[in-house]
């Protein structure tokens, strides 16, 4: 009887053990499914472990973003993405408040991505490609972190859409890994973070400056 019980315990826990020891296996097989085709939004996704073992994913979406082209000199431009921290919605208001604290909302109410500056010709060449890397910085609180995002461009009906995913860690941005309960006994997010975005090009403010 005891051996049968142990066998069932091992079968129950083994999949979670292997998912925790590598990059979240379920997430990696489903990286591009957070948005509808017409959404102009960003999102984060991470993995929560309940009672140290059982895993589930957490997704917080934000459709209150502002994406604009900024002219930095005569013929040079950058892309600016402004993300209000208090507009992330994970379906759990207590969690959203905790995430806002982790993202240092008291120091800066917005997350800000600023791309590196390029001239008009370089931007036009980028938009013609199906995939391209975009470098810039992500500002969280008082600090800025270098970021390289691989962007995909697609056509949805008559709309051009740019999207992408950055896979990293909370700690690389100086962020605390979320926990629930003393020492994370109840729930504890892994140090794994996906940053997703999905923008309709026609909704980017000032996009006509580079076309």
């Amino acid at each position: 009887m005891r051996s049968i019980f142990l066998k069932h315990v091992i079968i129950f826990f083994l999949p979670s053990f292997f998912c925790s020891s590598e990059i979240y296996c379920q997430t990696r097989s489903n990286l591009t499914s957070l948005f509808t085709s017409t959404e102009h939004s960003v999102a984060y996704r991470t993995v929560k472990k309940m009672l140290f073992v059982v895993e589930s994913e957490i997704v917080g979406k934000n459709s209150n973003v502002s994406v604009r082209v900024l002219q930095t000199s005569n013929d040079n431009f950058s892309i600016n993405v402004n993300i209000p921290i208090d507009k992330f919605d994970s379906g759990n208001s207590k969690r959203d408040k905790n995430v806002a604290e982790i993202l240092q909302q008291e120091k800066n109410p917005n997350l800000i991505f600023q791309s590196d500056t390029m001239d008009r010709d370089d931007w036009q060449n980028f938009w013609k490609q199906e995939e391209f890397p975009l470098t810039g910085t992500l500002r969280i609180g008082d600090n800025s972190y270098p970021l390289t995002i691989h962007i995909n461009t697609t056509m949805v009906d008559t709309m051009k859409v740019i999207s992408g995913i950055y896979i990293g860690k909370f700690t690389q941005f100086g962020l605390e890994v979320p926990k629930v309960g003393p020492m994370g006994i109840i729930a504890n997010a892994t140090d794994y973070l996906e940053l997703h975005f999905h923008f309709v090009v026609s909704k980017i403010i000032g996009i006509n400056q580079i076309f």
Side-chain angles (χ1 to χ4, degrees):
M1 185 73 179
R2 183 179 178 184
S3 61
I4 294 174
F5 172 77
L6 289 174
K7 179 180 178 181
H8 281 83
V9 168
I10 291 170
I11 290 172
F12 177 79
F13 285 126
L14 198 57
S16 294
F17 172 79
F18 281 112
C19 277
S20 343
S21 59
E22 301 178 9
I23 291 180
Y24 183 44
C25 41
Q26 179 182 343
T27 299
R28 284 188 59 81
S29 67
N30 190 27
L31 284 175
T32 57
S33 61
L34 296 187
F35 307 105
T36 63
S37 58
T38 58
E39 279 190 276
H40 195 66
S41 305
V42 299
Y44 68 83
R45 175 155 55 178
T46 187
V47 186
K48 176 177 65 175
K49 288 194 294 184
M50 298 294 293
L51 297 176
F52 301 110
V53 182
V54 182
E55 292 185 338
S56 62
E57 69 176 27
I58 299 171
V59 174
K61 295 178 69 173
N62 190 333
S63 298
N64 290 269
V65 297
S66 169
V67 189
R68 64 179 63 237
V69 174
L70 299 179
Q71 186 169 7
T72 56
S73 61
N74 289 341
D75 205 37
N76 293 294
F77 304 87
S78 67
I79 300 289
N80 175 276
V81 183
N82 200 291
I83 307 165
I85 292 172
D86 64 352
K87 298 302 182 182
F88 278 104
D89 183 3
S90 68
N92 183 316
S93 59
K94 184 176 290 187
R95 179 193 298 136
D96 296 337
K97 184 177 180 181
N98 186 30
V99 166
E101 292 175 358
I102 291 169
L103 294 177
Q104 303 171 32
Q105 182 185 21
E106 74 284 357
K107 295 181 179 179
N108 190 339
N110 302 301
L111 301 177
I112 301 170
F113 174 77
Q114 183 86 23
S115 78
D116 290 345
T117 298
M118 293 188 290
D119 64 30
R120 183 180 281 105
D121 289 340
D122 285 338
W123 280 114
Q124 291 179 353
N125 289 332
F126 266 135
W127 294 129
K128 293 175 183 176
Q129 301 176 44
E130 291 184 0
E131 297 182 14
F132 61 89
L134 183 65
T135 57
T137 58
L138 178 64
R139 187 167 184 81
I140 303 174
D142 294 331
N143 299 304
S144 295
Y145 303 89
L147 206 62
T148 299
I149 304 172
H150 293 277
I151 289 179
N152 299 303
T153 63
T154 54
M155 292 297 297
V156 179
D157 295 327
T158 58
M159 295 186 307
K160 191 162 193 172
V161 171
I162 60 172
S163 59
I165 304 166
Y166 180 84
I167 299 177
K169 298 180 177 182
F170 285 95
T171 51
Q172 77 184 78
F173 299 113
L175 302 176
E176 178 186 350
V177 179
K179 297 179 181 179
V180 177
M183 301 177 65
I185 290 176
I186 297 174
N188 187 13
T190 58
D191 192 9
Y192 174 82
L193 179 64
E194 296 173 12
L195 304 176
H196 296 242
F197 65 92
H198 186 279
F199 301 138
V200 178
V201 171
S202 62
K203 293 182 180 181
I204 298 176
I205 300 167
I207 193 66
N208 60 317
Q209 297 179 81
I210 55 178
F211 285 108

